[in-house]
Amino acid sequence: MERVSFSRRGTLRKIYLAQNPTWRHPLVGYVLCPFIVAIGIIFTLFLQKALGGVRFSGSFLILSILFTALFWGTGPALIALVLGTILLDYYFVPPIGHVLSGSWQDTAQLIPFVIAGLTIALITAQRERARLRALGTEQELQAYAEELEVANHKLEEANQTKDQFLSIASHELKTPITSIRGYTQLTIRRLTKQKDLSPEMEDVSATLQKINDQTSRLTSLIDELMDVSSIRAGKLELRKQKCDLRDICREVVKDQRLLSGRTITVNMPEKAIMIQVDQHRIEQVFANLISNAIKYSPDEQPIEVILQQYDGTTTVRVKDFGQGIPKDEQERIFETFYRTPDAQTSSKRGLGLGLAIVKDIVERHNGRIWCESTPGQGSTFFVEL
Ligand code: ADP
């Protein structure tokens, strides 16, 4: 409160008073305190008469000050103290019936009463200060909360604009890339059919192959962006049908072996694993986990894919013997655009979207996905359906 300006203190005081009922306004206290002090002195005089003398004549007056302070604050309490002192002097300090006309020794008898009254007024003033301080903090917090809400609103709008941009940009990019890929593949096929290609045309064919590889990479990046914007917009639809999970796994493993030339071992039950899933999306889950295992482990290491069914739950495990993922990053890798610092500094490219999409697909199938990993020994991704 020290640094709070005078006008701010005034405003806080007004708010504080407005929060109290009208009868507790200090003005009411100023009006009532003479009556309360009068009641105090009447009780004291009554006791004096009934008992033939009171030892602590100021007790009831102290109670009057306490009562006034409790309900109306410091100002009325100080007035009660002044009135109480005058009445005590009048009724109990010789010469009785006069104010401030006794010897200093007689008047000094009032000192304990005045000190007690001042202590009550001081404690009340501190309580009021503390209440005003708390009110000030509450007001500041409220202002911060409002600011945060506005900032949050703006962030949400910016996020929506970003999602819209992602969606439009990826859709717009997809069409020309698809036609570039189509024409490139067509030309490659035509060139492959021709016998005895000149060295020049061999070069052209190799270049076209590179264009095809890069455009297919670009296509999968655009697909990931489109998936993410559909997920954010809640538009990722699933077309579920009953299928054998082993068939999906076999297909994906076959493709990944062809694409990478890596050793991928598969372990699955002999009995069909029939479940109701969106075949295309579950293929995407397998493909993503296996291609990550390939990408983030050395070429000479195998990848293990294990399918198990137990008690109505199907578990898929994709295990690699790569660099692994530190414990504190094992949850974050499922966030959109998150890549581990190791991945960011490596030559392995990616947008950090694959696992976020996979997680969404798995969860939409009421499943769950997690990762267990020991850095330096490899990682295992688990999918439970
Ligand atoms: P991307 O591979 O495109 O970066 P993902 O969403 O597929 O995006 O993966 C997110 C991050 O998780 C990767 O950048 C990488 O840091 C980490 N990661 C995923 N799979 C593995 C793995 N098998 N081994 C080690 N790190 C992995």
Side-chain angles (χ1 to χ4, degrees), residues 328-364:
D328 55 331
E329 278 160 18
Q330 287 171 17
E331 274 197 30
R332 295 207 65 195
I333 54 171
F334 295 99
E335 291 171 14
T336 37
F337 296 109
Y338 185 80
R339 303 196 77 210
T340 60
D342 278 350
Q344 283 178 42
T345 47
S346 74
S347 57
K348 278 124 199 184
R349 282 180 285 178
L351 288 179
L353 291 178
L355 286 179
I357 298 168
V358 163
K359 184 170 190 271
D360 190 80
I361 296 172
V362 171
E363 284 175 354
R364 271 167 205 254

Side-chain angles (χ1 to χ4, degrees), residues 166-187:
L166 270 184
S167 168
I168 295 169
S170 42
H171 273 98
E172 290 302 314
L173 285 170
K174 178 100 181 175
T175 322
I177 294 291
T178 312
S179 60
I180 293 173
R181 240 184 120 197
Y183 286 125
T184 314
Q185 284 173 349
L186 187 75
T187 321

Side-chain angles (χ1 to χ4, degrees), residues 17 32 61 65-66 71 89-90 95 106 124 158 163 192-193 203 226 245 291 323 326 330 365-366 373:
L17 291 177
L32 288 184
L61 289 172
I65 297 170
L66 191 66
F71 291 110
D89 190 8
Y90 186 83
D106 288 334
T124 314
D163 284 347
T192 332
K193 274 184 197 154
D203 278 353
M226 282 167 71
L245 205 65
S291 65
Q323 66 211 51
Q330 287 171 17
H365 282 87
N366 300 323
S373 174

Side-chain angles (χ1 to χ4, degrees), residues 279-298:
Q279 185 169 340
H280 166 66
R281 291 294 177 186
I282 292 297
E283 267 173 21
Q284 197 177 345
V285 170
F286 274 104
N288 205 293
L289 294 181
I290 298 173
S291 65
N292 270 355
I294 292 169
K295 186 155 84 170
Y296 297 107
S297 67

Side-chain angles (χ1 to χ4, degrees), residues 231-288:
I231 288 171
R232 293 247 170 110
K235 286 183 192 155
L236 193 89
E237 277 177 26
L238 295 182
R239 289 189 198 88
K240 288 188 186 176
Q241 61 191 76
K242 222 171 180 105
C243 41
D244 188 350
L245 205 65
R246 298 175 316 157
D247 292 341
I248 301 179
C249 179
R250 274 191 209 109
E251 266 316 297
V252 177
V253 168
K254 197 171 86 187
D255 288 349
Q256 293 291 331
R257 274 187 193 133
L258 268 176
L259 278 170
S260 66
R262 294 279 292 270
T263 309
I264 306 174
T265 64
V266 183
N267 190 329
M268 52 176 76
E270 281 182 8
K271 228 174 89 194
I273 304 176
M274 298 304 293
I275 50 175
Q276 189 89 9
V277 289
D278 181 322
Q279 185 169 340
H280 166 66
R281 291 294 177 186
I282 292 297
E283 267 173 21
Q284 197 177 345
V285 170
F286 274 104
N288 205 293

